[in-house]
Amino acid sequence: MGKGIFITGTDTGVGKTFFTASLARYLHSCGFRVGVMKPAESGCREIDGQFIPEDALALKAASGSADSIETICPYRLPEPLAPSLAAERAGVKIDVDHLRAVYEDIRARNDITLVEGAGGLMVPLLPSYTYADFAGSLKLPLLVVGANRLGVINHLLLTLEQASCRGSSVLGYVLNHL
């Protein structure tokens, strides 16, 4: 059974997917079996009645994963909103137990599994359940990605403080040049 890492951001649009895909590609090139997961992706385009999760597809391609996109990204939502709100507006109920089971299945088949959140650590996956709660329930250490721009120090320190208050371990942070 492999280990896992939860990749979060200081905000939305900071390059989490770029970083996660780059890390997955690197680990795969080193010979590791790399699992990837994007529990919920909002803002998906609809093509032929299917919602297409671009971030999850990028992770799949970078990691060399043979998992289906439905496994990698169990919840694909049309509106570009926090997953809890996007799911509510789409009439979808996100099941955290299902997400945990999917993660455990992916983890069991890989050397390392990278789980990418949406937005920041405190973005709600359910109305009263955040990505911080999800990462904590899986006991995953965090990597935090921030855009290297004005305000990043505050956003980064707020994210690190929240992680510390929740007892989450932080492996490190990345300042991404967008």
Side-chain angles (χ1 to χ4, degrees):
M1 278 198 236
K3 298 183 183 218
I5 300 172
F6 189 87
I7 293 90
T8 190
T10 57
D11 197 353
T12 193
V14 297
K16 284 182 308 299
T17 301
F18 174 80
F19 172 77
T20 305
S22 297
L23 180 57
R25 188 174 297 108
Y26 172 74
L27 292 168
H28 180 68
S29 75
C30 290
F32 290 100
R33 289 171 300 158
V34 181
V36 289
M37 183 180 186
K38 177 92 175 177
E41 185 169 333
S42 60
C44 297
R45 290 182 300 123
E46 185 176 359
I47 299 176
D48 297 329
Q50 299 289 327
F51 293 114
I52 308 302
E54 299 294 335
D55 291 355
L57 286 169
L59 298 180
K60 177 178 173 56
S63 67
S65 174
D67 286 332
S68 70
I69 201 64
E70 292 78 17
T71 298
I72 292 169
C73 186
Y75 296 98
R76 297 160 310 282
L77 305 161
E79 292 190 75
L81 304 166
S84 64
L85 185 54
E88 178 185 320
R89 290 176 59 149
V92 172
K93 181 173 176 6
I94 294 176
D95 181 344
V96 175
D97 291 332
H98 173 66
L99 290 175
R100 282 191 206 104
V102 169
Y103 168 76
E104 290 300 334
D105 180 56
I106 295 170
R107 184 178 69 90
R109 292 181 277 104
N110 291 285
D111 299 315
I112 187 159
T113 300
L114 306 177
V115 180
E116 182 189 333
L121 194 58
M122 298 307 295
V123 168
L125 191 52
L126 299 173
S128 297
Y129 189 88
T130 66
Y131 275 100
D133 296 320
F134 183 63
S137 76
L138 298 175
K139 298 183 180 7
L140 294 177
L142 308 176
L143 277 173
V144 181
V145 178
N148 194 12
R149 61 182 175 218
L150 188 62
V152 71
I153 293 172
N154 182 59
H155 291 158
L156 179 60
L157 291 175
L158 287 169
T159 301
L160 297 175
E161 178 72 16
Q162 189 57 227
S164 176
C165 288
R166 291 170 167 274
S168 295
S169 67
V170 176
L171 296 175
Y173 59 88
V174 174
L175 295 179
N176 192 24
H177 294 277
L178 299 174

